[in-house]
């Protein structure tokens, strides 16, 4: 049975010698002992041995001869000879035949012996790993290709316009997706604008995976998050010596993505120098690495995005007009989530389905009340904010049950009127007498407290400083009641397969 220590076989005809070696080595090695070569051979056949430590002078066979024979049968085992000085010549002539790793002279010193054996064990392990790696490389070159292809096919499905971009039948996203499906196969630059979290990168991926370039890389580069010199070096590459830390040539992302698509996020944050370089790529299909005076051909499709209004950036002289027109072969504006509330139930279900395997927890769906709060909220962070909200609900909620409104964060729970995003705006937006306006607030406060306490009237009344009777009176007056039916109906996904 293996203890995890390297196994060593010691062969010596002198019992005392064997015992003394065993005493010194047993802490670090699994020690096997043989008093003659026949016994040793049997032990080698029965055990997985890493090292043989063999005496040279033995009555039946010399150590070198025995190790030469064993090399034929078990070539991987590390072979070591122990001998007196007088045998040195013999051993040296036998080193090549027996492939001896080391020979140790008698009398041996325990520390030195252990050191040699430790190195031998390490050597064995390294050789074994090398061999495994070589086998794996040989076997897996084909397997790796298959894996990459499988992964690419699955990415194509994930970023399909119909399966990957979730929207309802009446969503304003439908018109946008119809246009994108038509232009995706052509090498047109697309400028994707929209607030944070509206799905700009998702749309860019969908364009790539629905184009003829789908089998080549899709690379994302955020242009606003790093110093512009580093951005230039990263995208265009550099020559050794171009700047103090450029110790070797570097191939930029644009060249490495050759044949594929490069998505430049926050393009409005780039410097004039960067814009000139990029324009050259887009106009001539060539680039010049930083510090080089030679140009190289590149074949990439450029997609860009921005949260800023780029026409304003052009007006202000911060973005080159010629680059803007190159980038905006087609310009699309993704609507914020608050302008497509009809998508919220579908998205909520989709994001929950995505979150469950990721977090290793399941939920049956959302309650009607939770969904209506989500539909009322204004989602300034758009789909990304919703994704975070749903992950949090799943983590905090009960396993396998419907996720209720009480799990929503206070800002979503307190969601004001759909058209109005904060309370002060509500004050101005609500018309009518003072009493009517105050009552609108009262309804909002009552609703929020009741949902948070899962419609427990005693707890809500206590918190609001009302009697139970007083609270009931208000609920009747305002017609406030819990949404009927626990589970929200299963949302229907858009049926737009085969859109022309
Ligand atoms: N219609 C949609 N269907 C499914 N998932 C979506 C949809 N829109 C956005 N998402 C998801 O929301 C998250 C945010 O989207 P994405 O990163 O594309 O937004 P973005 O506009 O690039 O945001 P930012 O401006 O902050 O970079 C991603 O996980 C994305 O998959
Ligand atoms: Mg993005």
């Amino acid at each position: 049975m293996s203890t995890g220590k390297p196994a060593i076989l010691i062969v010596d005809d002198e019992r005392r010698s064997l015992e003394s070696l065993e005493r010194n080595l047993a802490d670090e090695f699994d020690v096997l002992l043989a008093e003659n070569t026949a016994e040793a051979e049997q032990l080698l056949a029965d055990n997985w041995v890493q090292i043989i430590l063999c005496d040279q002078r033995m009555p039946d066979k010399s150590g070198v001869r025995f190790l030469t024979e064993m090399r034929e049968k078990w070539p991987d085992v590390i072979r070591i000879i122990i001998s007196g000085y007088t045998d040195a010549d013999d051993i040296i002539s036998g080193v090549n035949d027996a492939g001896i790793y080391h020979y140790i002279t008698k009398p041996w010193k325990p520390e030195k012996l252990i050191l040699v054996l430790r190195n031998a064990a390490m050597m064995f392990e390294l050789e074994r790993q090398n061999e495994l790696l070589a086998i794996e490389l040989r076997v897996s070159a084909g397997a790796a290709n298959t894996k990459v292809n499988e992964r690419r096919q699955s990415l194509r499905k994930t970023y399909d316009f119909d399966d990957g971009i979730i929207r309802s039948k009446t969503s304003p996203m439908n018109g946008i997706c119809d246009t994108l499906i038509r232009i995706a196969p052509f090498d047109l630059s697309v400028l994707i604008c929209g607030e944070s979290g509206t799905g700009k990168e998702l749309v860019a991926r969908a364009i790539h995976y629905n184009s003829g370039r789908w089998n080549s890389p899709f690379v994302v580069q955020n242009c606003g998050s790093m110093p512009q010199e580093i951005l230039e070096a990263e995208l265009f590459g550099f020559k050794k010596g171009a700047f103090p830390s450029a110790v070797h040539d570097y191939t930029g992302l644009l060249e490495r993505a050759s044949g594929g698509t490069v998505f430049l996020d926050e393009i409005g944050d780039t410097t004039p120098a960067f814009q000139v370089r990029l324009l050259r790529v887009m106009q001539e299909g060539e680039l010049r690495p930083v510090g080089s005076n030679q140009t190289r051909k590149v074949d990439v499709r450029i997609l860009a995005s921005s949260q800023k209004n780029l026409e304003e950036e052009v007006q202000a002289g911060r973005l080159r007009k010629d680059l803007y027109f190159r980038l905006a072969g087609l310009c699309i504006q993704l609507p914020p989530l608050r302008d497509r509330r009809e998508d919220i139930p579908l998205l909520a279900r989709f994001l929950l389905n995505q979150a469950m395997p990721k977090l290793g927890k399941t939920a049956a769906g959302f309650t009607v009340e939770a969904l209506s709060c989500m539909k009322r909220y204004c989602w300034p962070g758009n789909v990304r904010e919703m994704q975070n909200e749903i992950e949090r609900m799943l983590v905090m909620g009960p396993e396998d049950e419907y996720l209720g409104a009480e799990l929503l964060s206070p800002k979503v729970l307190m969601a004001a009127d759909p058209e109005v995003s904060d309370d002060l705006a509500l004050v101005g937006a609500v018309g009518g007498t003072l009493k009517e306006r105050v009552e609108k607030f009262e309804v909002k406060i009552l609703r929020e407290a009741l949902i948070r306490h899962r419609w427990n009237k005693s707890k809500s009344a206590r918190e609001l400083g009302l009697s139970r009777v007083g609270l009931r009176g208000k609920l009747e007056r305002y017609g406030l009641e819990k949404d009927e039916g626990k589970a929200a109906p299963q949302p229907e996904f858009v049926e737009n397969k085969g859109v022309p």
Side-chain angles (χ1 to χ4, degrees):
M1 197 188 64
S2 167
T3 57
K5 299 178 196 170
I8 182 166
L9 168 65
I10 309 174
V11 194
D12 199 319
D13 58 314
E14 274 186 51
R15 188 78 218 165
R16 278 187 37 235
S17 218
L18 280 179
E19 283 166 2
S20 117
L21 281 162
E22 184 185 23
R23 251 196 325 279
N24 281 283
L25 302 178
D27 281 351
E28 276 196 48
F29 299 89
D30 270 343
V31 181
L32 298 164
L33 302 176
E35 282 184 60
N36 55 58
T37 56
E39 223 177 275
E41 204 169 331
Q42 192 56 50
L43 284 170
L44 280 168
D46 296 342
N47 296 277
W48 196 59
V49 172
Q50 280 103 314
I51 307 165
I52 313 177
L53 182 59
C54 187
D55 184 31
Q56 166 66 350
R57 283 197 183 180
M58 291 183 295
D60 54 341
K61 230 178 248 175
S62 79
V64 168
R65 201 169 132 219
F66 172 66
L67 291 181
T68 311
E69 286 169 14
M70 292 308 102
R71 185 188 194 183
E72 292 275 299
K73 284 192 169 175
W74 293 285
D76 300 340
V77 184
I78 305 283
R79 294 164 292 273
I80 298 175
I81 282 280
I82 289 205
S83 78
Y85 279 118
T86 48
D87 305 312
D89 285 347
D90 248 13
I91 291 165
I92 289 163
S93 65
V95 160
N96 288 337
D97 294 339
I100 286 169
Y101 168 73
H102 202 99
Y103 74 92
I104 294 168
T105 47
K106 288 181 185 169
W108 45 267
K109 289 209 174 75
E111 321 78 69
K112 191 161 172 234
L113 178 69
I114 288 179
L115 207 65
V116 170
L117 294 178
R118 256 187 222 152
N119 286 339
M122 209 186 308
M123 167 99 165
F124 180 89
E125 191 50 36
L126 281 178
E127 294 212 331
R128 203 171 65 97
Q129 280 177 8
N130 254 346
E131 202 174 314
L132 286 180
L133 207 63
I135 292 172
E136 210 168 306
L137 281 178
R138 240 179 292 136
V139 174
S140 63
N145 263 337
T146 319
K147 274 249 160 345
V148 168
N149 285 337
E150 275 171 15
R151 170 119 182 92
R152 288 219 165 106
Q153 291 291 357
S154 110
L155 280 170
R156 270 198 105 175
K157 175 128 186 69
T158 308
Y159 296 113
D160 183 87
F161 279 103
D162 293 333
D163 294 333
I165 300 183
I166 303 305
R167 58 201 192 272
S168 64
K169 283 179 182 165
T170 53
S171 172
M173 288 293 288
N174 287 326
I176 294 172
C177 290
D178 289 354
T179 308
L180 292 178
I181 288 169
R182 282 203 203 95
I183 61 96
F186 302 99
D187 260 356
L188 187 72
S189 302
V190 184
L191 184 59
I192 309 162
C193 297
E195 287 178 15
S196 171
T198 43
K200 297 184 292 295
E201 186 175 327
L202 179 69
V203 162
R205 282 182 196 274
I207 296 174
H208 170 74
Y209 284 103
N210 284 276
S211 77
R213 294 176 175 269
W214 71 274
N215 214 3
S216 296
F218 174 81
V219 174
V220 182
Q221 178 64 55
N222 187 312
C223 301
S225 61
M226 56 171 78
Q228 292 289 300
E229 306 76 56
I230 297 182
L231 176 68
E232 275 184 52
E234 189 57 40
L235 274 177
F236 299 97
F238 52 80
K239 282 298 285 176
K240 179 178 172 181
F243 41 86
S245 59
V247 289
H248 50 71
D249 290 358
Y250 178 77
T251 307
L253 270 184
L254 286 165
E255 234 178 305
R256 278 188 278 149
S258 192
T261 307
V262 175
F263 174 53
L264 300 174
D265 207 359
E266 293 313 334
I267 192 75
D269 294 352
T270 52
T271 58
F274 177 91
Q275 292 173 17
V276 172
R277 274 185 197 278
L278 182 60
L279 188 63
R280 178 161 201 164
V281 171
M282 299 191 74
Q283 262 170 354
E284 329 287 345
E286 58 184 34
L287 60 74
R288 199 169 48 76
V290 179
S292 165
N293 46 22
Q294 281 173 354
T295 53
R296 301 195 201 156
K297 284 279 167 211
V298 277
D299 165 30
V300 285
R301 179 186 195 172
I302 304 279
L303 303 176
S305 84
S306 177
Q307 288 184 44
K308 291 183 180 163
N309 179 333
L310 290 185
E311 280 173 2
E312 274 174 27
E313 295 300 295
V314 172
Q315 291 286 320
R318 288 186 290 267
L319 180 67
R320 287 181 70 109
K321 202 173 185 173
D322 44 8
L323 179 63
Y324 172 76
F325 286 122
R326 277 275 162 189
L327 290 169
L330 173 74
C331 193
I332 60 158
Q333 182 74 39
L334 296 183
L337 198 50
R338 63 181 169 283
D339 290 348
R340 45 180 163 129
R341 290 180 195 273
E342 60 271 55
D343 292 352
I344 289 177
L346 279 174
L347 269 168
R349 183 72 235 186
F350 174 81
L351 297 172
L352 179 63
N353 287 348
Q354 256 188 354
M356 288 192 292
K358 180 172 155 198
L359 299 173
K361 196 172 170 187
T362 52
F366 298 96
T367 62
V368 175
E369 196 171 53
L371 275 183
S372 51
C373 286
M374 284 195 245
K375 279 183 88 169
R376 272 198 303 272
Y377 180 58
C378 62
W379 300 107
N382 295 293
V383 185
R384 184 175 299 104
E385 186 184 5
M386 194 167 163
Q387 203 169 31
N388 293 339
E389 186 71 25
I390 286 173
E391 286 183 8
R392 216 182 42 84
M393 286 176 89
L394 181 62
V395 168
M396 307 292 285
E399 181 90 37
D400 274 343
E401 286 181 26
Y402 287 91
L403 302 173
E406 71 284 354
L407 294 165
L408 287 162
S409 48
K411 61 182 185 210
V412 185
L413 201 53
M414 293 277 279
D417 199 271
E419 306 309 321
V420 198
S421 58
D422 67 39
D423 294 345
L424 280 174
L426 183 66
V427 174
V430 175
T433 62
L434 176 64
K435 185 164 176 282
E436 282 162 353
R437 294 191 199 193
V438 170
E439 281 178 351
K440 288 239 177 197
F441 268 110
E442 198 170 50
V443 170
K444 203 159 101 74
I445 293 164
L446 289 168
R447 231 176 143 270
E448 188 276 328
L450 281 159
I451 291 175
R452 201 156 23 80
H453 292 298
R454 297 171 158 232
W455 293 84
N456 180 318
K457 298 200 183 74
S458 309
K459 281 189 185 165
S460 306
R462 203 174 313 130
E463 181 185 294
L464 297 170
L466 297 169
S467 67
R468 268 184 61 89
V469 178
L471 177 64
R472 202 170 320 125
K474 283 184 188 293
L475 297 189
E476 274 165 22
R477 177 144 58 95
Y478 296 129
L480 264 176
E481 57 184 30
K482 192 176 174 187
D483 286 323
E484 278 308 311
K486 202 166 165 44
Q490 185 71 19
E492 224 185 305
F493 281 78
V494 64
E495 250 184 76
N496 50 3
K497 296 269 175 215
V499 169

